[in-house]
Amino acid sequence: MTPADPSASAQPPATASFVVVANRLPVDRVEHPDGSVDWRTSPGGLVTAFEPVMRRHDGAWVGWHGAPDEEVAPFENDGLQLVPVPLSASEVEEYYEGFSNTTLWPLYHDVIAAPEFHREWWDAYVVVNQRFADATAAVAEQGAVVWVQDYQLQLVPAMLRRQRPDLRIGFFLHIPFPPTELYQQLPWRNQILEGLLGADLVGFQVSGGAQNFLRLVRARLRQETHRDEIRAADGRTVVARSYPISIDTAGLAELAAAPATAERAAEIRRDLGDPKVLFLGVDRLDYTKGLLARLRAFGELIDDGALELDEVAFVQVATPSRERVDEYRQLRDDMDRLVGRINGDIGRIGRPPITYLHSSYPREEMAALYRAADVMVVTPLRDGMNLVAKEYVACRQADDGALVLSEFAGAAKELRQAYLVNPYDINGMKDRLVEAMDDSPRNKARRMRVMRRQVAEHDIDHWATTFLDDLAQAQPTAD
Ligand code: ADQ
């Protein structure tokens, strides 16, 4: 590996009393024409959530910086201590694209795509998890609080505890934790459960995930549980509980209310030919998001005459992701074909029914899109939470607009007043889209008001604070 010199000048942190551990650091590298390297904080919920805590304590963030085969020394960016963990190109393939995204991701999302099990991917997963644990152990001071994030790092809690029994360790899973029958397919099912049990507190998006985990711990590891508590083999108590993640509601609402956002929203509608009803989808291009069925339902509604081509438009934003994984390339081709067919078959000059966009947008543009849309369509086949649904709600200060939401998104547990759909039922989805569009303004306002209150009261800060408060209550750590 070649060393890269980060532009930041700060000294690496010797110790930190609060450490976030995630696959990726919250920064992207920017290379200037003169060859110098800079880092830009990547916008995202997690940075927003952790920043205040990291600033209050001597916080550090441990994660991969995004480029393979390269060592980067710890550095400071925007006041955050960042500790890069190196990955070789073959580790990116085997640990990240392989075990994380081709084994665990589909397995944890109801095996919508078939998970692949390869022993060498597992080996890489173990090696990389150990490296993350080592880097964390080196940066955490005595008795520090460590918060490990997501499915790429499920072995880190136990690896870390072995080296550092003095730490308070929390783990949060951003994706669903699968039903026991599916989970048991995993050849390394016990190792992962044991890895997670290294934490004092294991957090899930919804209570169903915590229940699945508790059942597996009882059945597979024969450990006693009482409500949400597990008596671990070493005598510790581990708590498994749900903490539904959320968004920076106030920040987004403020942005949505800005006059410039309103103007941009009006401009978007004008550019689309001023449709009477604008449908919007915003997703990563991922097979879990239910993109194909949703667009098929919309196309059929026009075909059936239930929607008038001249009166409606569908904007689907789908940012490509994980493009080196086969299933994702396949989905991209399938989407190209489907959108092409629908637009080709039923569109007219100046009236393509679907506007399909791959771009990534700044927050301002996202807020304008949410403000412009009459019906937000969020129809994943399975989703840990789905922040897009919450973002849309946060932007609807006039309590207008309608959210069509899959029952299989974690967000459906909180946003009960959405127009809920089973995304596998295309006819049902068609009915719900029409209902959401045609419902009276009064009904829409009633639904939106309740959802907006929910998202205002349960924002990202509430999520982080609740988790960390519960972690602080965890049994006292060893000296
Ligand atoms: P994701 O699967 O990535 O997250 P989601 O929760 O919807 O899904 O978050 C996507 C985020 O990316 C949203 O904040 C959205 O605004 C943003 N985004 C999407 N497309 C964009 C674009 N083109 N330009 C700019 N921003 C865009 C995983 C889990 C989810 C869980 C989250 C958080 O799969 O279930 O909600 O983590 O825990």
Side-chain angles (χ1 to χ4, degrees):
M1 296 199 188
T2 52
D5 184 23
S7 69
S9 54
Q11 287 303 305
T15 53
S17 61
F18 177 65
V19 187
V20 170
V21 192
N23 174 60
R24 274 291 263 122
L25 286 174
V27 288
D28 287 317
R29 182 209 303 268
V30 189
E31 280 181 25
H32 297 293
D34 65 0
S36 63
V37 171
D38 219 347
W39 300 90
R40 194 180 35 218
T41 308
S42 43
L46 287 191
V47 196
T48 318
F50 299 145
E51 228 180 330
V53 199
M54 297 201 37
R55 289 189 201 285
R56 262 199 311 277
H57 305 83
D58 289 319
W61 188 307
V62 175
W64 181 43
H65 60 283
D69 287 328
E70 188 184 79
E71 302 243 12
V72 179
F75 63 102
E76 192 187 309
N77 185 266
D78 265 355
L80 298 183
Q81 297 294 332
L82 304 179
V83 182
V85 176
L87 293 181
S88 69
S90 78
E91 285 166 348
V92 173
E93 250 175 61
E94 298 186 340
Y95 144 79
Y96 180 68
E97 292 161 359
F99 198 76
S100 298
N101 288 328
T102 312
T103 306
L104 293 175
W105 180 269
L107 181 69
Y108 282 31
H109 286 89
D110 285 359
V111 300
I112 296 164
E116 288 182 33
F117 304 112
H118 297 296
R119 285 165 288 184
E120 58 282 14
W121 289 359
W122 165 253
D123 294 343
Y125 187 79
V126 175
V127 167
V128 171
N129 270 248
Q130 187 64 58
R131 194 175 302 145
F132 272 80
D134 294 347
T136 308
V139 80
E141 68 176 34
Q142 182 73 19
V145 171
V146 176
W147 194 355
V148 183
Q149 307 292 319
D150 228 358
Y151 62 105
Q152 303 92 348
L153 301 176
Q154 293 174 100
L155 303 177
V156 170
M159 289 171 163
L160 194 53
R161 181 163 301 281
R162 230 168 278 139
Q163 297 182 53
R164 295 289 307 272
D166 59 296
L167 301 176
R168 235 168 246 266
I169 305 173
F171 178 91
F172 184 76
L173 185 69
H174 291 256
I175 66 175
F177 194 80
T180 54
E181 294 77 3
L182 297 180
Y183 182 82
Q184 314 234 42
Q185 291 179 11
L186 188 65
W188 308 279
R189 52 202 183 179
N190 284 15
Q191 288 96 314
I192 288 197
L193 294 176
E194 281 158 3
L196 292 170
L197 285 177
D200 298 296
L201 176 60
V202 186
F204 300 87
Q205 298 277 25
V206 293
S207 59
Q211 299 305 328
N212 290 343
F213 177 68
L214 287 159
R215 269 183 68 192
L216 276 159
V217 165
R218 272 196 304 273
R220 295 225 56 85
L221 303 183
R222 304 260 162 243
Q223 287 175 5
E224 259 177 61
T225 67
H226 178 63
R227 295 173 192 247
D228 57 7
E229 292 184 351
I230 301 152
R231 190 97 181 130
D234 57 3
R236 288 177 308 117
T237 301
V238 179
V239 175
R241 203 173 279 167
S242 65
Y243 298 86
I245 200 167
S246 192
I247 56 169
D248 171 19
T249 312
L252 188 58
E254 191 185 324
L255 188 60
T261 310
E263 273 167 39
R264 176 64 192 140
E267 187 177 48
I268 289 170
R269 294 189 70 107
R270 264 199 312 279
D271 288 348
L272 290 163
D274 273 323
K276 212 167 103 197
V277 185
L278 174 55
F279 294 82
L280 174 66
V282 175
D283 309 78
R284 258 185 322 99
L285 193 45
D286 192 299
Y287 52 80
T288 59
K289 301 291 183 183
L291 291 153
L292 293 165
R294 160 195 322 175
L295 294 182
R296 205 170 288 137
F298 176 72
E300 283 187 21
L301 283 171
I302 298 179
D303 238 358
D304 299 347
L307 298 183
E308 276 298 325
L309 177 62
D310 290 331
E311 295 182 348
V312 297
F314 201 122
V315 171
Q316 177 63 59
V317 179
T319 333
S321 65
R322 305 177 191 168
E323 291 183 277
R324 284 156 46 126
V325 177
D326 281 348
E327 289 282 347
Y328 289 77
R329 278 201 293 260
Q330 179 66 44
L331 173 66
R332 190 170 169 154
D333 288 350
D334 292 347
M335 281 290 285
D336 286 350
R337 244 193 315 277
L338 181 68
V339 173
R341 187 170 62 68
I342 295 174
N343 281 347
D345 284 355
I346 56 183
R348 280 201 297 273
I349 287 175
R351 274 277 170 202
I354 300 171
T355 301
Y356 179 46
L357 305 162
H358 283 160
S359 311
S360 209
Y361 295 106
R363 284 174 75 229
E364 291 76 10
E365 183 72 356
M366 297 296 285
L369 278 164
Y370 291 138
R371 264 202 78 158
D374 301 297
V375 182
M376 184 78 217
V377 192
V378 182
T379 57
L381 303 173
R382 181 58 72 191
D383 214 333
M385 177 54 57
N386 196 292
L387 297 180
V388 167
K390 292 188 172 179
E391 288 166 357
Y392 178 70
V393 167
C395 290
R396 308 305 301 189
Q397 270 136 322
D399 287 328
D400 54 357
L403 172 65
V404 173
L405 178 61
S406 163
E407 294 165 20
F408 305 133
K413 297 273 176 292
E414 292 170 89
L415 305 178
R416 303 302 303 167
Q417 292 72 21
Y419 299 84
L420 295 175
V421 292
N422 169 1
Y424 290 96
D425 171 9
I426 295 214
N427 283 347
M429 195 145 55
K430 287 165 70 178
D431 292 345
R432 277 317 237 179
L433 287 172
V434 172
E435 186 191 342
M437 176 180 90
D438 286 345
D439 208 355
S440 69
R442 203 164 150 227
N443 277 343
K444 285 184 185 168
R446 187 178 46 78
R447 286 170 179 258
M448 193 57 78
R449 205 173 304 123
V450 180
M451 293 195 288
R452 226 154 49 76
R453 197 178 315 131
Q454 167 70 27
V455 178
E457 286 169 4
H458 299 87
D459 64 358
I460 185 79
D461 189 48
H462 176 266
W463 171 77
T465 310
T466 324
F467 186 97
L468 290 172
D469 284 353
D470 285 0
L471 183 55
Q473 311 255 316
Q475 60 187 356
T477 46
D479 288 327

